[in-house]
Amino acid sequence: MTYRDRLSETTALLGEAGNGWQGIDAEAVARMRLQNRFRTGLDIARYTARIMREDMAAYDADPAAYTQSLGCWHGFIGQQKIIAVKKHFGSTKGRYLYLSGWMVAALRSQFGPLPDQSMHEKTSVPALIEELYTFLRQADARELSLLFRQIDAARAAGDRGREQALLDTVDNFQTHVVPIIADIDAGFGNAEATYLLAKKMIEAGACALQIENQVSDEKQCGHQDGKVTVPHEDFLAKIRACRYAFLELGIDDGIIVARTDSLGAGLTKQIAYSREPGDIGDRYNSFLDCEEVTDLASLRGDVVIERDGRLMRPKRLPSNLYQFRAGTGEDRCVLDCITSLEHGADLLWIETEKPNIDQIAGMVDRVRAVIPDAKLVYNNSPSFNWTLNFRQQVYDGWKAAGRDVGTYERDALMSVLYDATELAQEADERIRTFQKEASARAGIFHHLITLPTYHTAALSTDNLAREYFGEAGMLGYVLNVQRRELREGIACVRHQNMAGSDLGDDHKEYFAGDAALKAGGSFNTMNQFA
């Protein structure tokens, strides 16, 4: 619906109300409606699910059409990211937000900073989704407010051409509201708990839920030791719980991202139930590290299983957890992926210990032999030492090709002494093209960094503290923050405007007319940045 259509609609509405709504301006109503396109979180989930599905189809047609996101731990951070994307690239196409359970635990829990072990309040996850979309919707309202003010100025100047151009800009306005892939961890309990939390997350606006196959009460960060997986049937019940939540709420094309931590998980809490040889439970149990029982007297409260006609005792730790055979991680990942896609998941997430395209592609090729359109969401994790990993990959490749690597020490390649070398330059080029190459070769539809803004906040604060509390004093802020904001066109240099002061003035004028006491007058110091 165009701006003028909105205006005609509200004019007719006010005409029907007659004298009862005196003082209500039709254009003000039309503008407020345009600034509030999404009434509810379900409106957002419905809109963003369609975008994500379209992007998935585009990737299937051309792997160069991969998508990206950055993890955001606060609504303002998410808002500024999308504002920056629109400023630098002109469109949000293919750019999402990621909600990291790690950052919720570390930064948003009422308990204070916590490790990524699902100890934070589950309600903090949908609360952050709602907060992110509140800030993105406010970005819409703010940018449209600036356009409306320019329209008014063009009218006042009698510049019809400028007015029409601005009206066209409003009609073609691209919202800041983008898909959020939201981390539901291992579901925070049983399948019913997963379903209840999934509903809250979807109602807050999430169109994509990422769930992992770890045990809820033993959940660990994907890049830490001690991970424990669950049998497939347990995980599939939670995938179904998420799908039921989407369907109940009318988000028929909601997206489920099934994450497997099996590559780094050597333990399971349960032996899977098996009905017949070769079923999914039997295949899960086939990875257990077992020893044959030859003496029944040696059994002391042990659990035993039958394998190929022999009585076997799975190795059980003092923690009462069972151990998988070493070297089975990739096989378990592949089985996890195929099983998840066959039972309702839309995308896969394979948590790896390093960013290696050949490793990822090797597993994806095996999955695609069964499900040809399998696609991945991949964590470009800050837990990887990208510099060291890629320098070592180049080193190993050169060595295998017979090149002389005698001037390099493999275990010390992180050293600044190597920064200007040919090896380091090739490694950096591989890092630069990693997402493009991995999407073409390894089926990665979506690349994300889980917790980048955690690190950027720490780095920028460290730099400011060093300068401001040191000899630079106030120049440390002016030179490294404010002047850069001005030179680089960072909108929040006018922080009152970014926080909604001008929006508030618009509303005051709508509500009180000439009697409005507005903040944006000539004495507002923000005018220094006009």
Side-chain angles (χ1 to χ4, degrees):
M1 186 178 292
T2 68
Y3 184 95
R4 287 187 170 137
D5 288 339
R6 290 277 188 189
L7 182 55
S8 297
E9 177 188 71
T10 54
T11 299
L13 177 65
L14 296 183
E16 293 173 5
N19 293 331
W21 286 359
Q22 290 188 54
I24 301 295
D25 181 73
E27 189 156 37
V29 174
R31 289 180 175 185
M32 293 174 80
R33 286 185 170 183
L34 283 167
Q35 289 171 305
N36 187 28
R37 172 180 173 181
F38 302 99
R39 294 337 193 247
T40 69
L42 289 177
D43 290 338
I44 292 171
R46 200 169 288 114
Y47 167 77
T48 53
R50 185 174 69 252
I51 288 176
M52 202 163 166
R53 290 286 179 179
E54 291 170 353
D55 288 346
M56 290 162 66
Y59 174 81
D60 286 339
D62 179 6
Y66 61 89
T67 58
Q68 301 167 292
S69 66
L70 295 174
C72 299
W73 54 273
H74 191 278
F76 178 73
I77 301 296
Q79 178 198 63
Q80 293 304 301
K81 191 199 94 167
I82 299 303
I83 286 175
V85 165
K86 286 191 72 174
K87 181 182 79 171
H88 292 297
F89 304 103
S91 171
T92 62
K93 178 68 175 172
R95 280 90 176 196
Y96 307 163
L97 294 182
Y98 178 66
L99 186 151
S100 161
W102 192 102
M103 285 207 285
V104 174
L107 298 171
R108 301 303 300 264
S109 171
Q110 293 183 24
F111 295 111
L114 293 172
D116 183 21
Q117 296 171 350
S118 290
M119 295 188 291
H120 54 282
E121 312 88 340
K122 65 175 68 175
T123 53
S124 60
V125 182
L128 179 54
I129 297 170
E130 183 176 7
E131 176 181 294
L132 285 162
Y133 280 127
T134 296
F135 274 80
L136 294 181
R137 292 164 66 197
Q138 193 262 7
D140 279 359
R142 172 190 165 273
E143 190 171 315
L144 285 166
S145 171
L146 295 173
L147 290 169
F148 295 151
R149 286 168 176 248
Q150 293 174 54
I151 289 171
D152 292 341
R155 285 177 182 168
D159 189 342
R160 294 302 180 99
R162 170 71 172 159
E163 179 187 353
Q164 185 57 54
L166 289 164
L167 289 170
D168 290 342
T169 300
V170 170
D171 289 341
N172 294 294
F173 179 79
Q174 185 183 45
T175 178
H176 294 81
V177 169
V178 298
I180 289 177
I181 298 176
D183 186 359
I184 197 171
D185 277 23
F188 288 86
N190 61 16
E192 175 70 6
T194 301
Y195 155 77
L196 293 171
L197 178 55
K199 281 182 63 178
K200 288 293 184 185
M201 293 170 70
I202 298 163
E203 287 168 344
C207 73
L209 303 179
Q210 168 224 324
I211 187 164
E212 62 203 57
N213 68 334
Q214 290 193 49
V215 176
S216 279
D217 58 352
E218 301 284 356
K219 184 264 190 305
Q220 289 277 20
C221 172
H223 293 282
Q224 292 184 313
D225 205 354
K227 294 184 289 296
V228 184
T229 63
V230 297
H232 294 93
E233 289 292 356
D234 292 28
F235 186 53
L236 298 179
K238 293 187 177 183
I239 288 178
R240 285 191 289 269
C242 291
R243 181 63 66 202
Y244 273 111
F246 274 124
L247 294 173
E248 178 182 340
L249 295 171
I251 313 301
D252 297 347
D253 52 358
I255 292 99
I256 298 172
V257 182
R259 168 175 151 177
T260 172
D261 279 282
S262 290
L263 195 62
L267 303 169
T268 182
K269 195 169 187 177
Q270 298 166 269
I271 295 175
Y273 179 74
S274 174
R275 295 174 176 84
E276 59 186 39
D279 66 11
I280 194 63
D282 188 42
R283 295 172 74 185
Y284 186 81
N285 293 339
S286 71
F287 296 114
L288 292 170
D289 192 1
C290 299
E291 57 188 3
E292 186 173 1
V293 177
T294 57
D295 180 8
L296 293 180
S298 67
L299 298 176
R300 290 292 180 271
D302 287 310
V303 173
V304 294
I305 62 175
E306 178 273 335
R307 180 179 291 172
D308 299 326
R310 295 179 296 163
L311 195 61
M312 308 293 289
R313 173 170 48 197
K315 290 185 179 178
R316 185 164 57 172
L317 305 181
S319 60
N320 211 30
L321 300 171
Y322 297 95
Q323 186 171 293
F324 289 115
R325 296 195 316 276
T328 62
E330 288 202 6
D331 290 339
R332 286 183 281 125
C333 275
V334 171
L335 182 59
D336 294 344
C337 291
I338 292 170
T339 305
S340 296
L341 290 176
E342 288 177 337
H343 292 82
D346 302 289
L347 295 168
L348 301 170
W349 174 315
I350 299 176
E351 193 77 342
T352 67
E353 80 286 0
K354 59 184 178 295
N356 185 294
I357 293 175
D358 289 338
Q359 178 197 32
I360 304 163
M363 289 184 279
V364 172
D365 286 346
R366 294 173 63 188
V367 175
R368 285 186 159 181
V370 180
I371 303 174
D373 64 347
K375 293 180 281 296
L376 263 64
V377 171
Y378 187 70
N379 177 10
N380 293 231
S381 176
S383 293
F384 302 145
N385 185 330
W386 286 77
T387 301
L388 180 61
N389 268 295
F390 276 83
R391 287 181 182 182
Q392 288 181 338
Q393 287 180 37
V394 173
Y395 177 97
D396 293 342
W398 283 7
K399 186 175 181 180
R403 289 188 59 170
D404 180 14
V405 292
T407 58
Y408 300 99
E409 184 180 346
R410 189 180 188 279
D411 291 339
L413 287 173
M414 185 65 200
S415 172
V416 68
L417 298 175
Y418 295 117
D419 283 358
T421 65
E422 182 185 359
L423 183 147
Q425 291 168 5
E426 181 171 329
D428 282 354
E429 178 61 13
R430 291 193 188 186
I431 294 171
R432 187 186 72 81
T433 61
F434 172 79
Q435 294 188 343
K436 178 181 177 182
E437 298 298 327
S439 290
R441 173 66 187 91
I444 298 176
F445 157 72
H446 185 78
H447 287 276
L448 59 88
I449 308 178
T450 43
L451 41 139
T453 52
Y454 178 90
H455 293 278
T456 55
L459 180 61
S460 62
T461 302
D462 180 87
N463 291 337
L464 177 59
R466 182 190 62 224
E467 297 296 320
Y468 177 74
F469 293 109
E471 290 298 316
M474 192 58 197
L475 183 61
Y477 173 78
V478 172
L479 186 64
N480 297 313
V481 180
Q482 190 179 79
R483 194 174 297 171
R484 287 190 62 186
E485 287 179 307
L486 287 162
R487 298 287 188 261
E488 296 177 27
I490 306 299
C492 71
V493 70
R494 297 180 65 229
H495 48 258
Q496 305 284 18
N497 168 268
M498 185 59 67
S501 180
D502 290 344
L503 276 171
D505 277 359
D506 291 342
H507 294 164
K508 289 175 185 178
E509 190 169 12
Y510 297 163
F511 305 155
D514 293 339
L517 184 63
K518 296 192 287 187
S522 59
F523 291 105
N524 188 320
T525 58
M526 285 287 99
N527 293 332
Q528 296 172 29
F529 301 103

